[in-house]
């Protein structure tokens, strides 16, 4: 029993203190049970409970014990069927030595001594026989309550004949709980972590235990295969898979479990308030935080090999009866109805009242007498002696028969077709049939479309209520069918020419004829056997339709009014010109038929029939008329007038001799006496090159003749008039020239030619030559006595004088002359005597020089002085007196404004030299610098260019 000792070390609150006290009570029972003979409990009492009464749980009870006459406590538990909130156990009568305590959660009534000492069996037997069961519900939950009367704290379950004990130990892991459970016995029964095989066990352990804790399930051997690993069921699989798995027998996992979160392999009953009460959760071997912290474990006793046969508990039952099922019934109009009710294996008692009275029938099935109205009956699982028992109503419903109200009379059917049938049910829907009884169901609804019929037919409406009751009789509704009228004869009207009206005539089989302008729908144009059509301009079909007793003929009859179009006349022209006098041919073309020619617009005498009519010899204007007659003998709407006009020949007025400069164009002008002017290049024949009073010639290079002619109404002037153009030569100006002259000089522009000409420069001067001093483009216009001109253009530009920009000196003996303008050709010198084409001079010594540059175009000379400064290439600061420092000769005297800045290869300034600090010894801040190249910038004065280079420091 040493495995219980650690409970003392974990008492942290009142709840744990309670569980510790409970443990020691149990522990003492377990310990004593190992040396004490177990008592034997017997009880009788399998009773039926009448709601509202107090009923003793036993009819007899006894305790037999060979070595004891008292015990510390007796526990009575509703071990199965318990309804929390309804069921209650209480101790009645006077029992001065006993105190009772009811635990509503565990459904357990505890009977203990008032002074904490053992209670005699005699007092306990008397007290147990005064324990009563009460149900507080008006309509108690039916079922059997099993009462376990037990010596000791362990809960007894009759269905398993096992005992169950919750041991509180906060934070215990699963392995420790398993070992602790297996180290206990209860009256000789071996303990183990509980295994739960049924709903009864789950209910007793999970919902009625004092706390939650470890049970004997695990999938640590094979993930997802949950087995009972303790007690006699060790090795039994009760679940396969995860949360979506299944059980081969029984399992009671909480919602969403098992989920194997963080490798959870051990079963645990959930804490109160976590999901489904009494359900299971999978946890890791040590549990989890907060509500998943292990509170203890459940030990089960019984079923192990070698366990003694005990009778530590006695059981009784009280049954609460109840109606478990009912089935009402209904009937249409009236009848006897069969009603059903069930109460399990118990009898069912039938009553006519909710309370009182005696049963009218006993059994699960009851046939009512014939009833005509809805009637309520009542059933109970109790007879009339239990006046407080609830009764369940069962209704026998009588539904009234529906009736049919006919709708509007169906429209008459003309010929054959469908019509609308209408009727309304007082309740439910209308079914339509083709016979007063039986027959075929044709449709359902208050308004339907009938089948197609061609003779008068009766249909029948029957109402079916929402309760499936059918009207007593069917209501007849008749649809009348009338034959269609027809057109027996009609007359085709004669054809029309152009437009007009026609007489339309037809004879019906009966009724009235309506005339329309379309085969369907359209506009009604008249009524009667004969009518006059509207005016038509094209062939038109009209339609006759017969109306007889609201029935129309099946189709409209077409009557065609043919309209032949009037022929039309096409003439090339309505005026034909005849020059002076003569005979001409007139032409007209009909759209159909032939042309008749007349000399009046209304006369009847035909001069000629045919498309082409040759006139007699005419000397004055004359008009003829063309009329078309079609092949259908229709005449054109009007005669077309064609007039022959006698035209006089026109004349031309123009200048016939014209002069023009070579290479120019001339606009020739001519005026007709009437009509228009045509221009030609030939005296006769040919095609006009232009039309109009003016003609611009092509470019003229030689003498040319053009010819003009007037034309009116197709009549040309008697002859063409010749216009002679004489071409005058141009003065011959010289070719365009390009002239260059030196800067600050002038140039002479000479445009003089032979002949009697004048000059006009664009500068306004009028002499043959002009002198200029500015570059530009100059143009002179030369004009001869015939006002013919020619031009000459001079393009001039200035050659700039030499201008030396700079003489570039490097740290060498070399100088380069750089010119301001490099576009000219120069030659160079440094002594003013010897010139060369290259601007570069080498081999110079230190000193002052003069640079010369002169233009090869003879446009001047420029001179600029410069100085050659030779800078040493390297220095060796080794104190040998030779090149020990870097300096520039003459800084104190020749170049007093000179500055020298020395840099390393990274651009860092190393030192600066001037006339006060003229040498650098190769150090920086007193430290020797490494041997390498250093760069310098020399500025001799504020206006001289920078001299850049590098010097080598050699060590």
């Amino acid at each position: 029993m040493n495995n219980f000792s650690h409970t003392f070390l974990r008492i942290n609150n009142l709840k744990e203190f309670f569980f510790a006290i409970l443990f020691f009570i149990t522990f003492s029972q377990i310990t004593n049970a190992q040396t004490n003979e177990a008592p034997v409990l017997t009880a009788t009492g399998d009773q039926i409970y009448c709601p509202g009464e107090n009923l003793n749980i036993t009819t007899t009870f006894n305790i037999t014990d060979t070595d004891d006459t008292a015990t510390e406590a007796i526990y009575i538990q509703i071990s199965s069927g318990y309804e929390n909130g309804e069921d209650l156990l209480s101790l009645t009568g006077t029992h001065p030595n006993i105190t009772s305590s009811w635990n509503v959660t565990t459904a357990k009534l505890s009977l203990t001594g008032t002074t904490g000492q053992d209670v005699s069996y005699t007092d306990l037997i008397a007290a147990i026989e005064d324990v009563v069961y009460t149900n507080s519900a008006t309509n108690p939950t039916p079922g059997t309550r099993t009462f376990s009367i037990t010596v000791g704290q362990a809960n007894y379950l009759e269905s398993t004949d096992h005992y169950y004990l919750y041991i509180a130990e906060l934070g215990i892991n699963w392995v420790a709980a398993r070992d602790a459970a297996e180290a206990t016995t209860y009256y000789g029964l071996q303990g183990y972590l509980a295994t739960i095989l049924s709903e009864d066990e789950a209910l007793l352990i999970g919902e009625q235990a004092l706390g939650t804790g470890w049970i004997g399930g695990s999938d640590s051997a094979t993930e997802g295969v949950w087995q009972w690993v303790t007690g006699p069921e060790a090795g039994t699989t009760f679940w396969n898979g995860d949360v979506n798995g299944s059980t081969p027998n029984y399992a009671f996992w909480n919602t969403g479990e098992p989920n194997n979160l963080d490798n959870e392999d051990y079963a645990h009953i959930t804490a109160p308030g976590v999901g489904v009460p009494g359900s299971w959760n999978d946890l890791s071997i040590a549990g989890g935080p907060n509500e998943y912290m292990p509170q203890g474990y459940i030990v089960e006793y019984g079923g192990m090999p070698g366990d003694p046969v005990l009778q530590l508990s006695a059981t009784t039952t009280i049954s609460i009866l109840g109606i478990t099922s009912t089935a009402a019934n209904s009937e249409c109009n009236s009848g006897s109805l069969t009603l059903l009710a069930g109460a399990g294996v118990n009898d069912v008692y039938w009553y006519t009242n909710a309370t009182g009275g005696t049963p009218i029938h006993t059994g699960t099935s009851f046939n009512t007498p014939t009833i005509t109205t809805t009637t309520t009956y009542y059933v109970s699982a109790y007879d009339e002696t239990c006046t407080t028992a609830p009764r369940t109503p069962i209704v026998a419903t009588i539904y009234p028969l529906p009736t049919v109200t006919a709708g509007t009379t169906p429209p008459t059917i003309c010929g054959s077709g469908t019509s609308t049938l209408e009727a309304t049910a007082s309740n439910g829907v209308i079914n339509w049939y083709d016979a007063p009884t039986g027959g075929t169901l044709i449709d359902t609804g208050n308004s339907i479309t009938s089948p197609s019929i061609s003779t008068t037919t009766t249909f029948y409406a029957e109402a079916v209520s929402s309760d499936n009751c059918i009207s007593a009789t069917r209501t007849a509704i008749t649809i009348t069918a009338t034959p269609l009228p027809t057109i027996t004869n009609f007359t085709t009207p004669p054809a029309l020419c152009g437009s007009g009206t026609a007489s339309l005539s037809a004879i019906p089989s009966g009724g009235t004829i309506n005339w329309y302008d379309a085969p369907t729908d359209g506009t009604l144009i008249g009524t009667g056997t004969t009518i006059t059509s509207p005016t038509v301009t094209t062939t038109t079909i009209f339609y006759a339709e017969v109306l007889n007793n609201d029935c129309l003929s099946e189709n409209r009859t077409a009557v065609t009014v043919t309209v032949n179009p009037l022929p039309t006349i096409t003439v090339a022209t309505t005026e034909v010109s005849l020059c002076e006098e003569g005979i001409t041919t007139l032409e007209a073309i009909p759209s159909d038929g032939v042309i008749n020619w007349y000399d009046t617009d209304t006369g009847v005498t035909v001069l000629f029939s045919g498309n082409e009519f040759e006139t007699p010899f005419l000397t004055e204007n004359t008009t003829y008329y063309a009329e078309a007659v079609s092949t259908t003998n229709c005449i054109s709407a009007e005669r077309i007038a064609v007039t022959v006009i006698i035209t006089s020949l026109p004349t031309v007025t123009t200048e016939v001799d014209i002069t023009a400069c070579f290479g120019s164009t001339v606009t020739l002008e001519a005026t007709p006496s009437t009509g228009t002017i045509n221009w030609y290049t030939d005296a006769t024949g040919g095609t006009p090159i232009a039309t109009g009073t003016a003609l611009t010639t092509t470019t003229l290079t030689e003498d040319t003749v053009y010819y003009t002619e007037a034309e009116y109404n197709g009549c040309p002037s008697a002859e063409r008039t010749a216009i002679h153009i004489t071409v005058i030569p141009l003065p011959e100006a010289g070719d365009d020239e390009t002239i260059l002259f030196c800067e600050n000089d002038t140039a002479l522009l000479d445009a003089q030619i032979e002949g009697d000409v004048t000059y006009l420069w664009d500068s306004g001067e009028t002499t043959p030559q002009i002198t200029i001093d500015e570059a530009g483009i100059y143009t002179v216009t030369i004009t001869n006595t015939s006002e013919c001109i020619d031009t000459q253009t001079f393009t001039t530009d200035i050659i700039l004088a030499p201008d030396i920009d700079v003489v570039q000196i490097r740290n060498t003996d070399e100088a380069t002359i750089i010119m301001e303008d490099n576009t000219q050709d120069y030659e160079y010198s440094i002594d003013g005597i010897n010139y060369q084409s290259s601007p570069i001079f080498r081999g110079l010594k230190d000193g002052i020089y003069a640079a010369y540059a002169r233009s090869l175009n003879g446009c001047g000379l420029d001179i600029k002085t410069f100085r050659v400064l030779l800078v040493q290439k390297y220095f060796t600061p080794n104190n040998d007196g030779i090149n020990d420092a870097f300096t520039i000769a003459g800084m104190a005297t020749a170049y007093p404004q000179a500055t020298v800045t020395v840099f390393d290869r990274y651009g860092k300034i190393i030192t600066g030299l001037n006339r006060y600090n003229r040498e650098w010894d190769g150090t920086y801040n007193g430290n020797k610098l490494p041997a390498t190249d250093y760069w310098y910038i020399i500025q001799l004065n504020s206006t001289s260019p920078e001299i850049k280079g590098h010097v080598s420091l050699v060590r």
Side-chain angles (χ1 to χ4, degrees), residues 47 49 55-57 133 143-145 147 316-320:
Q47 306 173 78
Y49 179 75
L55 183 62
N56 294 83
I57 64 169
Y133 166 79
T144 298
R145 276 61 165 172
F147 304 94
T316 63
T317 62
I318 291 177
S319 297
I320 299 178

Side-chain angles (χ1 to χ4, degrees), residues 4-19:
F4 289 95
S5 61
H6 63 289
T7 304
F8 291 102
L9 302 178
R10 306 180 69 93
I11 297 176
N12 296 319
N13 53 46
L14 290 177
K15 180 177 179 181
E16 294 181 27
F17 177 74
F18 170 77
F19 286 142

Side-chain angles (χ1 to χ4, degrees), residues 47-130:
Q47 306 173 78
I48 294 177
Y49 179 75
C50 181
E53 69 175 345
N54 293 332
L55 183 62
N56 294 83
I57 64 169
T58 64
T59 54
T60 65
F61 177 75
N62 192 32
I63 300 175
T64 303
D65 194 340
T66 60
D67 55 359
D68 292 303
T69 60
T71 188
E72 59 190 14
I74 289 288
Y75 302 94
I76 306 169
Q77 183 179 32
I78 305 176
S79 59
S80 65
Y82 174 59
E83 290 293 333
N84 193 336
E86 294 184 16
D87 297 337
L88 174 66
L89 295 179
S90 58
L91 177 62
T92 63
T94 302
H95 303 278
N97 298 323
I98 295 177
T99 297
S100 66
S101 173
W102 168 248
N103 188 319
V104 69
T105 301
T106 60
K108 183 180 288 188
L109 180 69
S110 301
L111 302 179
T112 59
T114 55
T115 63
Q117 301 298 318
D118 287 353
V119 184
S120 70
Y121 287 154
T122 301
D123 287 343
L124 287 172
I125 291 170
I128 290 171
E129 289 182 343
D130 279 346

Side-chain angles (χ1 to χ4, degrees), residues 684-695:
T684 60
T687 302
I689 61 173
T691 299
T693 58
L695 168 69

Side-chain angles (χ1 to χ4, degrees), residues 652-655 658 667-671 677 679 692-695 708 723:
V652 176
T653 302
T654 186
E655 184 179 354
I658 296 174
T667 298
L668 307 179
E669 295 182 347
T671 303
I677 292 294
W679 297 89
T693 58
L695 168 69
T708 183
I723 300 176

